[in-house]
Amino acid sequence: MDNFYHQLNQTHKNLNQDDYKKQTANLMNDALKHIDKLDHILILGAGNLTDISIDFLCAKFNHIYLTDIDLDSMKQALEEIEDHPNIKLIQMDYLGLDEIHFFNAFFDNLRIKSRRQIEVWMDQKINQILKHHFSKAFNMKFDAIYIAPIYTQLLYREVEHKLDALVLKGLSLEMKDFILSYLLQKMIEIFHAFNQEIINLLKPEGVIFVASDIFYLTDNDFSLHVKKHITNQKLMDEIYQSYQNQYGMGLGDYGLNDLINYFNKIDQSWLLWGVQSHQAYAVQFCILKTLN
């Protein structure tokens, strides 16, 4: 798993994320401007830190906990920062997939021809995932939690990647589509369990900063329209609602919307993330506080 996500992080390493970092730092600073300094912040999905303003975090928090399955990328990124005594790195498998040997067993069970048997096996493994509590790795609650765009990276994308490789070795496209369709239905439960862990780690008066990639943008008409109007929040919300009405929700939507249900949404912005040549992601960046 860590190798897959290391390769994924490396593809993002040289992207120009300066505008995104400045924008998110400004949004966070506005939300915390009434507070001089906070004690602890937890970062989920830190990756290679290209889209996180470490300078801002160090200025605003006494202790910064960076977590990701890809420990090497975090280490490499911190080598470029001279002084970081208040930063702690933690390698973390948020869903406990290695613990339950998910992918080893996954490949073994693909030899089974019965779709029903695959459903039963997947249900068993997903039940194990739902019982995994990454929050137990901490003996504290946090003043703030920052969630990078990782909802689309939790389980589904890696399964899809591995199935694509297996199709080249003889797995039928019908079986691939069946597995992904079944898993997609289950991702709602997985996101809910993941978000409950976040809620458990937040202090009652804490704040959550969450980014979720909603649209993958290229150079088609829809993408160009979104890129052109990304700073027009009202129009972007209308574009988003129209898209949802036509196509339904995606992974990023499911994860973010489930989390929002438990908080007051203090602020929301549309931002471009991962910009390169003709590609980018349209991200919803939200600031959430506990319901009164």
Side-chain angles (χ1 to χ4, degrees):
M1 278 184 57
D2 53 346
N3 181 61
F4 171 79
Y5 288 104
H6 182 71
Q7 295 299 320
L8 186 62
N9 282 326
Q10 291 308 299
T11 65
H12 296 157
K13 186 174 183 179
N14 297 317
L15 300 181
N16 183 355
Q17 300 275 47
D18 289 346
D19 286 345
Y20 181 83
K21 284 199 293 187
K22 289 176 184 175
Q23 289 170 321
T24 54
N26 287 337
L27 290 166
M28 290 188 288
N29 190 52
D30 286 345
L32 302 174
K33 61 185 177 183
H34 61 290
I35 304 171
D36 182 36
K37 202 160 188 176
L38 291 165
D39 205 15
H40 297 88
I41 184 170
L42 172 65
I43 313 296
L44 302 178
N48 51 35
L49 311 183
T50 56
D51 58 356
I52 300 170
S53 176
I54 293 296
D55 290 342
F56 167 77
L57 295 180
C58 288
K60 204 68 182 180
F61 295 91
N62 291 322
H63 302 283
I64 302 160
Y65 289 75
L66 300 176
T67 68
D68 200 285
I69 186 65
D70 178 15
L71 183 61
D72 287 341
S73 285
M74 291 192 293
K75 284 182 175 179
Q76 290 169 13
L78 281 187
E79 287 174 0
E80 302 173 7
I81 302 174
E82 292 182 4
D83 187 27
H84 46 83
N86 57 339
I87 296 178
K88 183 174 183 180
L89 301 183
I90 303 174
Q91 184 177 35
M92 185 161 287
D93 174 9
Y94 303 114
L95 302 184
L97 299 178
D98 275 349
E99 185 180 293
I100 63 173
H101 309 290
F102 181 89
F103 285 105
N104 288 341
F106 181 73
F107 293 131
D108 289 343
N109 279 272
L110 281 181
R111 299 191 183 98
I112 301 171
K113 299 300 182 184
S114 164
R115 292 189 177 191
R116 180 57 191 153
Q117 286 175 295
I118 291 177
E119 286 178 348
V120 169
W121 176 83
M122 289 184 70
D123 286 344
Q124 290 172 346
K125 285 299 179 185
I126 288 169
N127 285 336
Q128 289 179 288
I129 290 171
L130 299 180
K131 294 176 183 176
H132 178 75
H133 301 289
F134 72 82
S135 60
K136 291 183 177 179
F138 304 97
N139 59 0
M140 70 184 80
K141 291 184 181 288
F142 292 86
D143 300 287
I145 298 176
Y146 179 104
I147 308 164
I150 60 171
Y151 286 114
T152 54
Q153 311 300 330
L154 292 174
L155 184 59
Y156 185 90
R157 186 169 179 180
E158 187 173 4
V159 170
E160 183 179 35
H161 175 76
K162 294 184 184 304
L163 288 176
D164 285 339
L166 290 176
V167 166
L168 298 176
K169 298 181 179 181
L171 182 71
S172 71
L173 288 173
E174 290 78 13
M175 182 59 77
K176 171 197 163 184
D177 291 342
F178 164 73
I179 293 169
L180 288 178
S181 176
Y182 193 75
L183 177 60
L184 185 61
Q185 299 173 48
K186 298 295 181 178
M187 290 305 299
I188 302 171
E189 298 174 54
I190 292 171
F191 288 145
H192 180 72
F194 174 78
N195 287 337
Q196 290 301 309
E197 293 298 287
I198 294 169
I199 293 167
N200 290 340
L201 287 169
L202 188 70
K203 288 181 179 179
E205 68 280 9
V207 58
I208 287 181
F209 306 106
V210 53
S212 188
D213 46 321
I214 304 299
F215 299 129
Y216 172 63
L217 307 174
T218 56
D219 56 0
N220 58 33
D221 290 343
F222 174 80
S223 297
L224 294 174
H225 186 60
V226 169
K227 291 176 187 178
K228 180 180 179 180
H229 298 289
I230 194 73
T231 58
N232 186 330
Q233 304 302 316
K234 184 176 184 297
L235 180 57
M236 280 299 303
D237 288 344
E238 292 173 359
I239 293 171
Y240 178 44
Q241 189 59 58
S242 175
Y243 188 93
Q244 272 196 343
N245 291 341
Q246 186 171 358
Y247 299 106
M249 283 190 178
L251 293 172
D253 309 65
Y254 278 127
L256 179 60
N257 287 344
D258 178 80
L259 186 66
I260 287 174
N261 285 333
Y262 300 94
F263 295 93
N264 283 319
K265 184 162 59 174
I266 305 304
D267 196 6
Q268 173 189 303
S269 295
W270 284 94
L271 306 172
L272 289 181
W273 175 79
V275 179
Q276 57 175 321
S277 60
H278 300 296
Q279 300 177 357
Y281 294 88
V283 162
Q284 266 198 35
F285 188 87
C286 297
I287 300 174
L288 311 175
K289 289 190 177 180
T290 308
L291 290 167
N292 294 325

